[in-house]
Amino acid sequence: MEPKNEMTKEDIKYCLLLFISVILSYFQLSFFIFSTKWDNLSAFFPYKYTASKWWLSGILPLWDPYQNLGYPMHANPQGFVWYPITWILNLPSGYSLYSLNLETVLHVVIASIGMYFLAKWLKMKPSTAFLAGLTYGLSGFIIASNHMVGFTIGAAWLPWAIYSLLLVLNKPTIRSVFLLAIVCYLQITGAYIAFTILLFYIFLFLIVQHIILNWKLKAHLKQVTGRLAISLILILILSSPYLFSIYDSLEYFSRAKALDYDIENYARNFNWQCFQSLFAPYINSSKAGFEGVDVSLSNIYIGIIPLLFLFLSISSKKLKLNKLYLLGIAVALLLALGIHTPVHYWFAQILPGFNLFRHPYLFTLYFTLLSILVAFKLVDSINEQSIPFIRKVLGYGLILLGCIWLFSFIKAEKSDFISFFKELAQLPEKTSYTRFFHAFIQLSVSLILLTVLFVKAKNLNTFTKVLPLLIFIDLFIAIQLNGPTNMYYNIPFGKINQNLGKLSNAGLTNQEFDTPLASLSNNKIQSQSGFWVNLNTYQRTTGTDGYNPFVFSSFEELKESLEFDSLSKQGICYLDDSNGQISQLNLDYNAFGIECTTDINSRLYLNQNYHHNWKVYINDKEYSLEKTDLGLMSVQLPTGRQSVEFRYGSKKVSILALISVATFLIIIVYLT
């Protein structure tokens, strides 16, 4: 008999506890003490901020004219234009720094609650499922990649996606079909695209496994097939504006082809030394850290107590552990090691989609999820008779951990002990201490927690009472130790927000038509704390640079060509008639309006990337738009005074957006 999926009072209690635990653990972000950092602020925030101005004006965000001579923001796979949660956070006055912090923490809450329901579905007691959700939301992967919102979103919807698929496979009701469709839609439109590719393979595996195990139940399989087909249709309808936008722009997209399996493409990812983060991720904040590894791509901490139960589960002969879990853990870690084993290369050559993304580290998310499920499956099976054995294992664990702790103490620089608390209060991204001192600090916490558990776990009652608190304390401290490195800037939230307010521009542009493009690059705009790319987008200044996953192939070639320097001396638009005049430039949403006068038939050039969705109108009459040799746009003008308008639009995207939003609202109303 499968677990019930109806919401109970106990579920509400544990979900509320998970909410409170996440809010407290990430309190620097939750209560706007500090701002989320790095990619979230510098790269993704301007996308969301810019798109929100379009949405609030009742216009589809289609063309961003400010980066790399313009790009279709509706086709940016990491632009969040089609992600409903970002829409909600646009209200009431547009996307802000507050929205960014809230979105980051909200998805950690979603991750924790999703893991709770997944663990409960896998027949864990609600109290144990709570521990699984707590550990997942406060795990090292989510801490380390917290500044990359696409990673956080991917981690948030993963357990929900697996849970909703299992519901459809085992209890194929309309409600479960709708839930699966909504969750997959949110995953597709919000998460880093690699998570969607990997989710497809996870779904394929689970569906094939279910078919094999239920081969004789023909009626059931027929019903499940029908429900899955409905789910797929709904997912495609909901995601259609996003999917079509990308498809419609693939011919221009420089990243639409597979990556060469070059070591440089996968450098600074997870490697063998990062396994230290299983018991001491704080090493990452030391002056050396994990050498040659990005601090965002190395943390796999799940807590010292869950780690102990994970090892015990793997070695236990009594526990009937699904070997597929262990196989999944092993494969995930081998893939996470990237270029350090041949496994990642094999998968990249064999499986479609694996060669489209960097960062093998993201496979540690699947290690995290499976390890937590394995560890707490053992915890869920503990009874009064097994307590003596558990205490015996804890004793051996204390001895082993104590030896490592003593080694770290001996190897640590003694001067570090003197200045530790003073420097800790400054919240530096990187401390001046050695990795051995950092290991000593974290292992000291772990030893105390394991000792308390060993002393208190004299019977099942005291064991179950003290376990949640100790796990929370452990993960909470790990977050506080690693937060300045991975999660937030140590600059007050209000100061960064104030600086951003000074930098922003209320209008659509602050550029005259004849301002040289060379003077509009990011390095000509005064950067702010934590904000160093996409300044032109945020300040609404058309320019020739910026960080963006969507870059035109023609623009990449242009930047490498000899013509780029001469082009940069031009403005956003110009005539090839030396006697002609451009009297004004009006930048509107998804459009450029230009007033010009010529004495002879001349050509007007607009320094924006050509896309087939652009059209040009002269005095409201459509003319032929031409793509220049540089991949930009031009139109042949008649003589006299002309009112010219370049408009970017797609009726198909507009229709699909209306259908998608209507479908989304209908499903949400039904589910609630």
Side-chain angles (χ1 to χ4, degrees):
M1 181 178 178
E2 297 294 344
K4 294 181 179 180
N5 63 313
E6 290 82 6
M7 194 80 165
T8 66
K9 289 183 178 179
E10 198 170 26
D11 292 335
I12 295 172
K13 178 186 76 172
Y14 283 121
C15 288
L16 182 60
L17 284 174
L18 287 171
F19 173 81
I20 294 171
S21 299
V22 170
I23 296 298
L24 292 178
S25 298
Y26 296 82
F27 71 90
Q28 295 91 344
L29 303 180
S30 306
F31 300 111
F32 311 110
I33 297 170
F34 297 122
S35 163
T36 180
K37 66 190 307 187
W38 293 341
D39 295 47
N40 274 358
L41 179 58
S42 192
F44 301 127
F45 174 63
Y47 304 157
K48 295 167 178 280
Y49 177 80
T50 301
S52 75
K53 300 302 180 184
W54 268 248
W55 283 120
L56 291 176
S57 298
I59 298 170
L60 284 179
L62 298 177
W63 187 264
D64 181 346
Y66 307 116
Q67 279 192 6
N68 301 323
L69 296 183
Y71 77 98
M73 57 180 160
H74 66 107
N76 181 358
Q78 296 183 55
F80 307 97
V81 165
W82 304 110
Y83 188 51
I85 291 180
T86 301
W87 301 345
I88 295 169
L89 291 169
N90 285 339
L91 302 173
S93 57
Y95 201 87
S96 67
L97 193 59
Y98 290 95
S99 308
L100 186 61
N101 268 30
L102 285 174
E103 188 166 15
T104 303
V105 177
L106 173 62
H107 282 96
V108 181
V109 173
I110 292 170
S112 296
I113 295 176
M115 189 61 162
Y116 167 81
F117 282 109
L118 175 59
K120 190 183 171 192
W121 174 264
L122 295 173
K123 301 183 181 180
M124 291 187 200
K125 294 189 289 286
S127 57
T128 313
F130 163 74
L131 296 178
L134 179 70
T135 304
Y136 185 70
L138 277 56
S139 64
F141 179 91
I142 292 181
I143 298 169
S145 58
N146 191 264
H147 61 273
M148 296 183 286
V149 67
F151 276 50
T152 308
I153 293 173
W157 294 117
L158 175 62
W160 280 103
I162 296 173
Y163 166 65
S164 57
L165 177 65
L166 293 175
L167 278 177
V168 172
L169 292 177
N170 294 280
K171 301 181 72 172
T173 63
I174 292 298
R175 189 175 184 83
S176 62
V177 166
F178 280 0
L179 179 63
L180 177 61
I182 286 291
V183 169
C184 289
Y185 163 54
L186 293 167
Q187 168 84 21
I188 290 169
T189 56
Y192 177 51
I193 195 168
F195 293 100
T196 302
I197 294 171
L198 295 176
L199 187 62
F200 167 80
Y201 286 106
I202 292 171
F203 275 18
L204 184 62
F205 172 81
L206 291 174
I207 292 170
V208 171
Q209 181 193 42
H210 186 79
I211 292 172
I212 293 172
L213 294 176
N214 297 275
W215 183 250
K216 295 181 180 180
L217 303 176
K218 302 298 183 183
H220 168 73
L221 290 179
K222 184 178 180 181
Q223 184 187 28
V224 166
T225 302
R227 299 301 194 201
L228 287 175
I230 295 172
S231 294
L232 179 59
I233 292 170
L234 288 174
I235 292 167
L236 292 175
I237 291 173
L238 289 166
S239 307
S240 58
Y242 172 82
L243 296 174
F244 179 78
S245 293
I246 293 176
Y247 169 78
D248 195 40
S249 300
L250 275 180
E251 62 182 287
Y252 308 104
F253 192 13
S254 65
R255 289 277 300 275
K257 56 185 179 180
L259 293 167
D260 295 329
Y261 204 85
D262 185 341
I263 291 178
E264 288 302 315
N265 281 331
Y266 306 99
R268 297 190 60 78
N269 263 264
F270 190 82
N271 63 23
W272 293 103
Q273 65 179 314
C274 297
F275 283 109
Q276 295 174 71
S277 67
L278 278 171
F279 59 87
Y282 190 39
I283 293 172
N284 220 1
S285 299
S286 66
K287 59 183 178 184
F290 296 119
E291 295 176 2
V293 182
D294 190 299
V295 293
S296 309
L297 308 171
S298 61
N299 190 346
I300 56 173
Y301 193 64
I302 60 172
I304 197 66
I305 297 172
L307 178 65
L308 185 65
F309 287 120
L310 172 63
F311 287 144
L312 185 57
S313 298
I314 294 171
S315 60
S316 174
K317 294 181 180 179
K318 295 181 180 180
L319 186 66
K320 293 181 179 179
L321 190 65
N322 190 332
K323 293 181 180 179
L324 288 175
Y325 281 66
L326 300 181
L327 178 62
I329 288 172
V331 171
L333 286 178
L334 288 170
L335 286 169
L337 284 165
I339 58 176
H340 304 287
T341 78
V343 176
H344 183 265
Y345 173 78
W346 296 338
F347 274 65
Q349 301 305 309
I350 296 170
L351 294 181
F354 268 63
N355 55 4
L356 292 176
F357 57 88
R358 299 180 174 91
H359 308 314
Y361 169 72
L362 62 84
F363 289 102
T364 63
L365 172 62
Y366 307 94
F367 157 80
T368 299
L369 183 139
L370 289 171
S371 296
I372 290 171
L373 292 176
V374 169
F376 287 105
K377 193 69 175 175
L378 174 62
V379 172
D380 201 59
S381 68
I382 293 174
N383 54 35
E384 194 68 55
Q385 289 70 36
S386 57
I387 288 295
F389 174 71
I390 294 297
R391 293 189 80 234
K392 183 178 179 181
V393 171
L394 285 170
Y396 286 129
L398 279 169
I399 293 171
L400 177 61
L401 205 62
C403 292
I404 302 173
W405 173 84
L406 184 60
F407 175 78
S408 300
F409 174 75
I410 294 170
K411 295 287 289 183
E413 296 287 340
K414 300 305 176 279
S415 58
D416 291 346
F417 290 86
I418 300 173
S419 56
F420 169 63
F421 289 103
K422 181 179 179 181
E423 187 167 329
L424 185 68
Q426 297 171 355
L427 302 175
E429 284 185 0
K430 284 283 187 181
T431 71
S432 62
Y433 314 130
T434 65
R435 61 171 58 189
F436 293 105
F437 180 78
H438 278 252
F440 168 79
I441 293 298
Q442 187 133 26
L443 289 173
S444 298
V445 175
S446 299
L447 275 173
I448 293 170
L449 294 172
L450 283 182
T451 301
V452 172
L453 185 60
F454 176 78
V455 172
K456 291 290 185 179
K458 294 179 180 179
N459 54 61
L460 185 61
N461 185 46
T462 55
F463 174 81
T464 53
K465 283 184 177 180
V466 75
L467 187 63
L469 180 61
L470 295 180
I471 289 176
F472 174 74
I473 291 172
D474 181 16
L475 295 170
F476 178 86
I477 292 175
I479 290 176
Q480 306 320 308
L481 291 173
N482 291 279
T485 301
N486 294 105
M487 283 172 41
Y488 53 81
Y489 289 114
N490 60 0
I491 302 167
F493 180 94
K495 182 176 181 180
I496 291 183
N497 195 44
Q498 184 181 30
N499 289 341
L500 290 178
K502 294 177 181 177
L503 182 65
S504 66
N505 187 53
L508 285 169
T509 186
N510 61 357
Q511 179 194 347
E512 299 298 327
F513 65 86
D514 55 352
T515 303
L517 296 174
S519 66
L520 298 170
S521 60
N522 277 310
N523 59 16
K524 302 296 174 62
I525 303 173
Q526 184 178 0
S527 63
Q528 301 294 331
S529 303
F531 203 169
W532 67 94
V533 299
N534 297 343
L535 292 163
N536 44 12
T537 296
Y538 186 72
Q539 201 177 48
R540 306 188 187 286
T541 303
T542 55
T544 58
D545 59 0
Y547 169 80
N548 198 310
F550 194 111
V551 179
F552 278 77
S553 301
S554 58
F555 181 74
E556 283 192 337
E557 294 173 4
L558 173 60
K559 291 200 79 169
E560 298 297 323
S561 69
L562 297 175
E563 290 92 342
F564 185 71
D565 285 342
S566 59
L567 175 74
S568 296
K569 296 175 184 177
Q570 303 286 352
I572 192 66
C573 56
Y574 62 94
L575 293 165
D576 63 358
D577 175 12
S578 58
N579 294 319
Q581 281 191 328
I582 297 175
S583 55
Q584 69 179 62
L585 168 69
N586 177 37
L587 175 56
D588 203 350
Y589 296 105
N590 309 321
F592 286 86
I594 301 165
E595 299 291 330
C596 54
T597 306
T598 61
D599 295 329
I600 58 174
N601 288 337
S602 58
R603 186 168 291 278
L604 173 67
Y605 292 89
L606 180 66
N607 283 328
Q608 290 280 285
N609 290 301
Y610 173 85
H611 191 290
H612 63 264
N613 285 334
W614 278 105
K615 296 184 183 302
V616 63
Y617 299 85
I618 301 176
N619 298 327
D620 294 325
K621 180 181 178 182
E622 185 175 354
Y623 274 64
S624 175
L625 180 65
E626 297 181 27
K627 181 180 180 180
T628 71
D629 293 339
L630 302 179
L632 307 175
M633 293 185 286
S634 71
V635 60
Q636 188 71 39
L637 296 177
T639 58
R641 184 173 179 82
Q642 312 295 341
S643 178
V644 183
E645 186 174 24
F646 293 84
R647 300 177 195 164
Y648 183 93
S650 171
K651 287 185 178 179
K652 291 180 180 178
V653 172
S654 300
I655 293 170
L656 290 174
L658 286 173
I659 295 172
S660 173
V661 171
T663 306
F664 176 75
L665 292 175
I666 290 169
I667 293 176
I668 291 298
V669 169
Y670 181 88
L671 290 175
T672 54

